Amino acid sequence: MDALALARVQFAANITFHILFPTITVALAWILVFFKTKQDRTGDAHWKESYRFWVKVFALTFALGVVSGITMSFQFGTNWPGFMETVGNVAGPLLGYEVLTAFFLEATFLGIMLFGRKRVSNRVHTLATWMVAIGTSLSAFWILVLNSWMQTPTGFEMRDGQAFVLSWTEVIFNPSMPYRFAHMMLASGLTAAFLVAGLSAFRMLRGDKTFANRAALRVGIWLAAILIPIQILAGDQHGLNTFEHQPAKVAAMEGLWEDKEGAPLLLFAWPDEQKRENHFEIAIPQGASLILTHELDGLVRGLNSFEGEHPKVAPVFFAFRIMVGVALLMLAVSWTAVWVTRKGREAPAWLNRVLIGMTFSGWVATVSGWYVSEIGRQPWLVQGVLRTAEAVGPVPAAQIGISLTIYLALYAGLLAAYISVVFYLASQAGAGNLPRERERLDNPLRQMAGA
């Protein structure tokens, strides 16, 4: 592999590892706000128990997210100097806003949230929890503004090979930003919801049937059941926006080679980029045209209209189907769980096992969607402005290969350690085969509305 390919793989490995943790913390912070608010309003110590357990998971996840984010940022200078040289006038301030308005806010109040419970008043501690939640969301906002701008750049002009901002409003609220931000925030909510449900189900199987754990379990499955249909609708709108602004990406997602009216929706195929055709197609006639144009005979442009200007087809094609498949599985599992546990019924062992299996399903969907978005933008680093090959640095391939090997080994070890630690925390919280309490759970929707 040459330096360009290795640099791309290395950055992909870094961002894949990094995105796992903010995807949890952004939404888990708001779940902590819910637990804390319920505790303050009801005075019920069980909500305090839920908060104390999940704040440990949050702290561990937050720490790994910060460390991996710092490592990733170094690569802008080492592997991709052409990025900042060309669009630094846009990317630099946006990254600066993320640090100033979000990271400092998170870091300041995180200390109070984690260590100040007995040192400050309850009101200040609740305020700190709110500020951390707001900070994580602001952090996600600025990062997604930059990423969206790279997909659909507006509000700038090029002078002597450099981008200069003409309108920050147009830069921030570029055409894909609202869709991308909503899609990612909902993905975070689903990732955190299934994490909460999965670890709570694990504790249930280990005998922890306390009110605090049962409440967390129901909050997780209800949150997932509410968010997943919204996410499916948001994803559809995001797809329509991509169809308008990045048709080559959509052509790769659909595995469509020729422009076609009444394009089929491929449920499965094996794209052959050499022959520029598909093998083993299973398709719904006119399905893609109906979804993308809302007309059975709508025109969908194929990959041959963008020859040399479209991404590798197979990664985008399969990643998209993995994302959609996991979303449908989330829908089935969450709605089944809500039905089985209706009226305060205890989750049976088989459901708990299914939920444990879905604990990190949000990661699979998020990473797949991220690959669709980022690989689908190729060969562009900034769509229509800067090609990926033009931004790569002079670092030799051998050096990149060595650092890539170290990164992959380190990330594999850290990921295994993280998963084992969160399950260890859950096992310790549920140790001792705790007796079941007799409190009945109210409707979680009513609880959320009350908070």
Side-chain angles (χ1 to χ4, degrees):
M1 298 177 71
D2 60 14
L4 173 61
L6 286 169
R8 288 184 60 194
V9 172
Q10 187 177 78
F11 194 80
N14 275 273
I15 202 167
T16 297
F17 182 74
H18 171 68
I19 199 175
L20 301 177
F21 305 105
T23 304
I24 290 174
T25 55
V26 169
L28 186 56
W30 289 106
I31 294 175
L32 288 173
V33 167
F34 172 71
F35 288 154
K36 192 71 169 67
T37 305
K38 287 296 295 182
Q39 174 198 334
D40 292 345
R41 291 195 174 183
T42 65
D44 194 330
H46 300 298
W47 293 109
K48 181 179 180 180
E49 292 176 23
S50 294
Y51 180 91
R52 290 179 65 180
F53 171 74
W54 285 104
V55 80
K56 296 176 185 177
V57 177
F58 178 89
L60 174 65
T61 311
F62 184 89
L64 282 173
V66 170
V67 171
S68 58
I70 292 173
T71 303
M72 185 178 64
S73 66
F74 290 151
Q75 292 189 28
F76 286 124
T78 58
N79 291 6
W80 305 102
F83 177 72
M84 282 298 182
E85 289 175 2
T86 305
V87 298
N89 293 325
V90 179
L94 292 177
L95 292 171
Y97 299 154
E98 190 269 338
V99 172
L100 291 173
T101 65
F103 185 72
F104 286 169
L105 187 66
E106 292 175 72
T108 299
F109 286 98
L110 183 65
I112 300 173
M113 177 176 154
L114 295 180
F115 308 111
R117 187 171 57 85
K118 297 181 180 180
R119 295 176 174 84
V120 298
S121 67
N122 183 64
R123 182 175 295 181
V124 171
H125 190 257
T126 300
L127 175 64
T129 305
W130 274 92
M131 290 297 101
V132 170
I134 293 171
T136 58
S137 296
L138 281 174
S139 178
F141 173 81
W142 290 116
I143 293 299
L144 287 167
V145 165
L146 175 57
N147 183 262
S148 300
W149 184 83
M150 291 167 64
Q151 304 278 349
T152 52
T154 54
F156 74 103
E157 68 177 8
M158 299 298 295
R159 303 176 200 160
D160 299 324
Q162 291 185 316
F164 288 85
V165 174
L166 298 177
S167 169
W168 278 110
T169 300
E170 292 183 17
V171 168
I172 294 171
F173 298 101
N174 60 80
S176 67
M177 191 281 288
Y179 303 94
R180 199 172 300 277
F181 181 68
H183 198 49
M184 190 64 200
M185 293 298 285
L186 289 165
S188 176
L190 287 164
T191 302
F194 277 100
L195 177 71
V196 170
L199 290 184
S200 298
F202 178 74
R203 291 171 61 182
M204 288 283 287
L205 286 182
R206 294 182 66 88
D208 184 358
K209 299 181 180 180
T210 57
F211 177 94
N213 189 47
R214 289 185 291 132
L217 176 63
R218 288 178 63 82
V219 166
I221 60 178
W222 272 87
L223 182 60
I226 293 168
L227 292 183
I228 186 60
I230 302 173
Q231 177 68 306
I232 291 172
L233 293 174
D236 175 68
Q237 294 301 307
H238 187 18
L240 295 178
N241 178 265
T242 305
F243 179 65
E244 178 181 356
H245 295 281
Q246 295 176 295
K249 180 189 293 187
V250 172
M253 290 162 58
E254 298 298 335
L256 187 66
W257 296 97
E258 302 289 345
D259 295 358
K260 190 172 183 62
E261 295 179 351
L265 176 63
L266 297 181
L267 301 180
F268 179 82
W270 193 268
D272 186 336
E273 200 148 351
Q274 295 297 323
K275 296 182 178 179
R276 304 191 72 77
E277 63 182 26
N278 298 324
H279 305 293
F280 315 115
E281 287 189 358
I282 301 175
I284 299 175
Q286 300 179 298
S289 288
L290 180 61
I291 292 172
L292 293 169
T293 69
H294 295 170
E295 296 178 1
L296 288 173
D297 295 323
L299 175 65
V300 180
R301 297 179 68 188
L303 290 157
N304 289 335
S305 294
F306 310 98
E307 191 165 359
E309 301 289 327
H310 66 73
K312 293 289 185 181
V313 179
V316 178
F317 181 84
F318 288 116
F320 177 70
R321 277 147 188 80
I322 291 172
M323 178 187 68
V324 173
V326 173
L328 295 176
L329 184 61
M330 287 177 167
L331 179 68
V333 170
S334 61
W335 282 24
T336 299
V338 166
W339 174 256
V340 171
T341 60
R342 67 191 185 282
K343 298 181 181 179
R345 296 173 182 172
E346 182 178 312
W350 67 265
L351 178 58
N352 286 325
R353 293 189 181 95
V354 170
L355 290 172
I356 292 170
M358 293 289 291
T359 302
F360 295 104
S361 58
W363 279 359
V364 178
T366 298
V367 170
S368 299
W370 196 256
Y371 285 175
V372 170
S373 181
E374 300 308 296
I375 299 175
R377 186 182 58 219
Q378 298 301 320
W380 300 98
L381 191 58
V382 179
Q383 185 76 36
V385 176
L386 176 66
R387 289 179 178 270
T388 305
E390 297 170 347
V392 70
V395 181
Q399 292 185 21
I400 301 175
I402 292 171
S403 60
L404 172 60
T405 302
I406 296 172
Y407 275 133
L408 291 176
L410 179 62
Y411 288 161
L414 287 174
L415 186 59
Y418 173 82
I419 294 173
S420 65
V421 169
V422 294
F423 275 104
Y424 172 78
L425 291 173
S427 68
Q428 291 300 106
N433 195 28
L434 300 173
R436 176 173 182 171
E437 302 174 30
R438 294 184 177 180
E439 298 89 351
R440 291 184 60 83
L441 296 173
D442 294 330
N443 187 320
L445 286 177
R446 193 181 306 130
Q447 293 176 0
M448 292 180 183

Short mmCIF file of all heavy atoms in Angstrom, two decimals, residues 90 94 141 144-155 167-180 241 245:
data_model
loop_
_atom_site.label_atom_id
_atom_site.label_comp_id
_atom_site.label_asym_id
_atom_site.label_seq_id
_atom_site.Cartn_x
_atom_site.Cartn_y
_atom_site.Cartn_z
N VAL A 90 -11.41 27.88 7.48
CA VAL A 90 -12.75 27.41 7.87
C VAL A 90 -12.64 26.41 9.02
O VAL A 90 -13.29 26.55 10.05
CB VAL A 90 -13.47 26.75 6.68
CG1 VAL A 90 -14.85 26.25 7.10
CG2 VAL A 90 -13.60 27.73 5.52
N LEU A 94 -13.67 26.58 13.47
CA LEU A 94 -14.71 25.65 13.92
C LEU A 94 -14.18 24.70 14.99
O LEU A 94 -14.86 24.43 15.99
CB LEU A 94 -15.27 24.87 12.74
CG LEU A 94 -16.06 25.68 11.71
CD1 LEU A 94 -16.50 24.79 10.55
CD2 LEU A 94 -17.28 26.33 12.35
N PHE A 141 -22.02 19.39 18.06
CA PHE A 141 -22.52 20.36 17.09
C PHE A 141 -21.39 20.92 16.23
O PHE A 141 -21.46 20.91 15.00
CB PHE A 141 -23.26 21.49 17.81
CG PHE A 141 -23.67 22.61 16.90
CD1 PHE A 141 -24.82 22.51 16.12
CD2 PHE A 141 -22.92 23.78 16.83
CE1 PHE A 141 -25.20 23.54 15.28
CE2 PHE A 141 -23.30 24.82 16.00
CZ PHE A 141 -24.44 24.71 15.21
N LEU A 144 -19.76 18.36 13.92
CA LEU A 144 -20.64 18.00 12.81
C LEU A 144 -20.82 19.16 11.84
O LEU A 144 -21.06 18.94 10.65
CB LEU A 144 -21.99 17.52 13.34
CG LEU A 144 -21.92 16.13 13.99
CD1 LEU A 144 -23.18 15.84 14.78
CD2 LEU A 144 -21.71 15.06 12.92
N VAL A 145 -20.70 20.39 12.32
CA VAL A 145 -20.71 21.53 11.41
C VAL A 145 -19.53 21.41 10.45
O VAL A 145 -19.68 21.56 9.22
CB VAL A 145 -20.64 22.85 12.18
CG1 VAL A 145 -20.26 24.01 11.25
CG2 VAL A 145 -21.99 23.16 12.83
N LEU A 146 -18.33 21.14 10.99
CA LEU A 146 -17.16 21.01 10.13
C LEU A 146 -17.31 19.84 9.17
O LEU A 146 -17.04 19.97 7.97
CB LEU A 146 -15.90 20.83 10.99
CG LEU A 146 -14.60 20.55 10.23
CD1 LEU A 146 -14.31 21.65 9.21
CD2 LEU A 146 -13.44 20.40 11.20
N ASN A 147 -17.74 18.70 9.68
CA ASN A 147 -17.89 17.54 8.80
C ASN A 147 -18.93 17.78 7.72
O ASN A 147 -18.74 17.39 6.56
CB ASN A 147 -18.25 16.30 9.63
CG ASN A 147 -18.35 15.06 8.78
OD1 ASN A 147 -19.44 14.66 8.38
ND2 ASN A 147 -17.21 14.45 8.47
N SER A 148 -20.03 18.42 8.09
CA SER A 148 -21.07 18.72 7.10
C SER A 148 -20.56 19.69 6.05
O SER A 148 -20.86 19.54 4.86
CB SER A 148 -22.30 19.31 7.80
OG SER A 148 -22.84 18.41 8.74
N TRP A 149 -19.79 20.68 6.49
CA TRP A 149 -19.24 21.63 5.53
C TRP A 149 -18.30 20.93 4.55
O TRP A 149 -18.26 21.27 3.36
CB TRP A 149 -18.49 22.74 6.25
CG TRP A 149 -17.96 23.80 5.33
CD1 TRP A 149 -18.65 24.87 4.82
CD2 TRP A 149 -16.65 23.85 4.76
NE1 TRP A 149 -17.83 25.59 3.97
CE2 TRP A 149 -16.60 24.98 3.91
CE3 TRP A 149 -15.51 23.05 4.88
CZ2 TRP A 149 -15.46 25.33 3.20
CZ3 TRP A 149 -14.37 23.39 4.17
CH2 TRP A 149 -14.35 24.52 3.34
N MET A 150 -17.55 19.95 5.03
CA MET A 150 -16.68 19.18 4.14
C MET A 150 -17.49 18.39 3.11
O MET A 150 -17.01 18.13 2.00
CB MET A 150 -15.80 18.24 4.95
CG MET A 150 -14.76 18.97 5.80
SD MET A 150 -13.99 17.89 7.05
CE MET A 150 -13.14 16.71 5.99
N GLN A 151 -18.71 18.02 3.46
CA GLN A 151 -19.58 17.28 2.54
C GLN A 151 -20.29 18.23 1.57
O GLN A 151 -20.42 17.92 0.38
CB GLN A 151 -20.62 16.49 3.34
CG GLN A 151 -20.06 15.55 4.37
CD GLN A 151 -19.63 14.21 3.80
OE1 GLN A 151 -19.93 13.89 2.66
NE2 GLN A 151 -18.94 13.42 4.60
N THR A 152 -20.78 19.36 2.09
CA THR A 152 -21.53 20.31 1.26
C THR A 152 -21.03 21.72 1.56
O THR A 152 -21.70 22.51 2.25
CB THR A 152 -23.05 20.21 1.55
OG1 THR A 152 -23.28 20.32 2.98
CG2 THR A 152 -23.61 18.89 1.07
N PRO A 153 -19.84 22.08 1.06
CA PRO A 153 -19.24 23.37 1.41
C PRO A 153 -19.96 24.56 0.78
O PRO A 153 -20.25 24.57 -0.41
CB PRO A 153 -17.81 23.24 0.87
CG PRO A 153 -17.90 22.23 -0.23
CD PRO A 153 -18.98 21.27 0.18
N THR A 154 -20.24 25.57 1.60
CA THR A 154 -20.86 26.82 1.15
C THR A 154 -20.28 27.97 1.98
O THR A 154 -19.59 27.75 2.97
CB THR A 154 -22.39 26.80 1.35
OG1 THR A 154 -22.68 26.47 2.72
CG2 THR A 154 -23.06 25.79 0.44
N GLY A 155 -20.57 29.20 1.55
CA GLY A 155 -20.21 30.39 2.33
C GLY A 155 -18.74 30.74 2.28
O GLY A 155 -18.24 31.36 3.23
N SER A 167 -19.37 34.01 4.58
CA SER A 167 -20.51 34.05 5.49
C SER A 167 -20.42 32.88 6.45
O SER A 167 -20.55 31.72 6.04
CB SER A 167 -21.83 33.98 4.70
OG SER A 167 -22.92 33.78 5.58
N TRP A 168 -20.21 33.19 7.73
CA TRP A 168 -20.17 32.12 8.73
C TRP A 168 -21.53 31.47 8.88
O TRP A 168 -21.63 30.28 9.21
CB TRP A 168 -19.68 32.65 10.07
CG TRP A 168 -18.19 32.74 10.15
CD1 TRP A 168 -17.44 33.87 10.17
CD2 TRP A 168 -17.27 31.64 10.18
NE1 TRP A 168 -16.10 33.56 10.21
CE2 TRP A 168 -15.97 32.20 10.23
CE3 TRP A 168 -17.41 30.26 10.16
CZ2 TRP A 168 -14.83 31.40 10.27
CZ3 TRP A 168 -16.28 29.46 10.22
CH2 TRP A 168 -15.01 30.03 10.27
N THR A 169 -22.58 32.21 8.65
CA THR A 169 -23.92 31.62 8.72
C THR A 169 -24.08 30.51 7.68
O THR A 169 -24.60 29.43 7.97
CB THR A 169 -25.00 32.68 8.51
OG1 THR A 169 -24.88 33.68 9.53
CG2 THR A 169 -26.40 32.08 8.59
N GLU A 170 -23.60 30.77 6.46
CA GLU A 170 -23.70 29.77 5.41
C GLU A 170 -22.75 28.60 5.67
O GLU A 170 -23.05 27.46 5.31
CB GLU A 170 -23.40 30.40 4.05
CG GLU A 170 -24.47 31.38 3.60
CD GLU A 170 -24.18 31.94 2.22
OE1 GLU A 170 -23.35 31.33 1.49
OE2 GLU A 170 -24.76 32.97 1.85
N VAL A 171 -21.59 28.89 6.25
CA VAL A 171 -20.66 27.81 6.59
C VAL A 171 -21.28 26.89 7.63
O VAL A 171 -21.29 25.66 7.49
CB VAL A 171 -19.33 28.39 7.10
CG1 VAL A 171 -18.48 27.28 7.74
CG2 VAL A 171 -18.56 29.05 5.98
N ILE A 172 -21.80 27.49 8.71
CA ILE A 172 -22.34 26.69 9.81
C ILE A 172 -23.61 25.96 9.39
O ILE A 172 -23.76 24.76 9.62
CB ILE A 172 -22.61 27.58 11.04
CG1 ILE A 172 -21.29 28.12 11.59
CG2 ILE A 172 -23.37 26.82 12.12
CD1 ILE A 172 -21.44 29.19 12.65
N PHE A 173 -24.53 26.69 8.75
CA PHE A 173 -25.80 26.07 8.36
C PHE A 173 -25.77 25.69 6.88
O PHE A 173 -26.63 26.09 6.10
CB PHE A 173 -26.96 27.02 8.68
CG PHE A 173 -27.07 27.33 10.15
CD1 PHE A 173 -26.59 28.52 10.65
CD2 PHE A 173 -27.63 26.41 11.03
CE1 PHE A 173 -26.67 28.80 12.02
CE2 PHE A 173 -27.72 26.67 12.37
CZ PHE A 173 -27.23 27.87 12.88
N ASN A 174 -24.74 24.91 6.55
CA ASN A 174 -24.61 24.44 5.17
C ASN A 174 -25.72 23.43 4.87
O ASN A 174 -26.40 22.95 5.79
CB ASN A 174 -23.22 23.84 4.95
CG ASN A 174 -22.95 22.67 5.87
OD1 ASN A 174 -23.39 21.56 5.61
ND2 ASN A 174 -22.23 22.91 6.96
N PRO A 175 -25.93 23.08 3.60
CA PRO A 175 -27.12 22.30 3.23
C PRO A 175 -27.32 20.98 3.95
O PRO A 175 -28.45 20.55 4.16
CB PRO A 175 -26.93 22.09 1.72
CG PRO A 175 -26.12 23.25 1.28
CD PRO A 175 -25.19 23.54 2.41
N SER A 176 -26.24 20.30 4.33
CA SER A 176 -26.41 18.98 4.95
C SER A 176 -26.34 19.02 6.48
O SER A 176 -26.60 18.00 7.12
CB SER A 176 -25.35 18.00 4.42
OG SER A 176 -24.06 18.37 4.85
N MET A 177 -25.98 20.17 7.07
CA MET A 177 -25.76 20.21 8.52
C MET A 177 -26.99 19.81 9.33
O MET A 177 -26.89 18.97 10.25
CB MET A 177 -25.26 21.59 8.95
CG MET A 177 -24.76 21.64 10.40
SD MET A 177 -26.05 21.73 11.67
CE MET A 177 -26.61 23.42 11.43
N PRO A 178 -28.19 20.37 9.10
CA PRO A 178 -29.33 19.99 9.93
C PRO A 178 -29.63 18.49 9.89
O PRO A 178 -29.93 17.89 10.93
CB PRO A 178 -30.49 20.80 9.35
CG PRO A 178 -29.84 21.94 8.63
CD PRO A 178 -28.56 21.39 8.10
N TYR A 179 -29.51 17.89 8.72
CA TYR A 179 -29.80 16.47 8.58
C TYR A 179 -28.72 15.62 9.25
O TYR A 179 -29.02 14.65 9.95
CB TYR A 179 -29.89 16.10 7.09
CG TYR A 179 -30.92 16.91 6.35
CD1 TYR A 179 -30.56 18.07 5.66
CD2 TYR A 179 -32.26 16.54 6.35
CE1 TYR A 179 -31.50 18.82 4.98
CE2 TYR A 179 -33.22 17.29 5.67
CZ TYR A 179 -32.83 18.43 5.00
OH TYR A 179 -33.76 19.18 4.34
N ARG A 180 -27.47 16.02 9.05
CA ARG A 180 -26.36 15.25 9.62
C ARG A 180 -26.36 15.35 11.14
O ARG A 180 -26.12 14.36 11.84
CB ARG A 180 -25.04 15.76 9.04
CG ARG A 180 -23.88 14.80 9.17
CD ARG A 180 -22.68 15.34 8.38
NE ARG A 180 -23.02 15.49 6.98
CZ ARG A 180 -23.00 14.52 6.09
NH1 ARG A 180 -22.64 13.31 6.46
NH2 ARG A 180 -23.33 14.74 4.84
N ASN A 241 -31.42 14.48 1.04
CA ASN A 241 -30.47 15.59 0.97
C ASN A 241 -29.19 15.16 0.28
O ASN A 241 -28.62 15.90 -0.55
CB ASN A 241 -30.18 16.11 2.37
CG ASN A 241 -29.17 17.24 2.39
OD1 ASN A 241 -27.98 17.01 2.59
ND2 ASN A 241 -29.63 18.46 2.19
N HIS A 245 -27.30 16.61 -3.21
CA HIS A 245 -25.99 17.27 -3.19
C HIS A 245 -24.83 16.34 -3.49
O HIS A 245 -23.76 16.82 -3.91
CB HIS A 245 -25.77 17.93 -1.83
CG HIS A 245 -26.72 19.05 -1.54
ND1 HIS A 245 -26.58 20.31 -2.07
CD2 HIS A 245 -27.84 19.09 -0.77
CE1 HIS A 245 -27.56 21.09 -1.65
NE2 HIS A 245 -28.35 20.37 -0.86
#
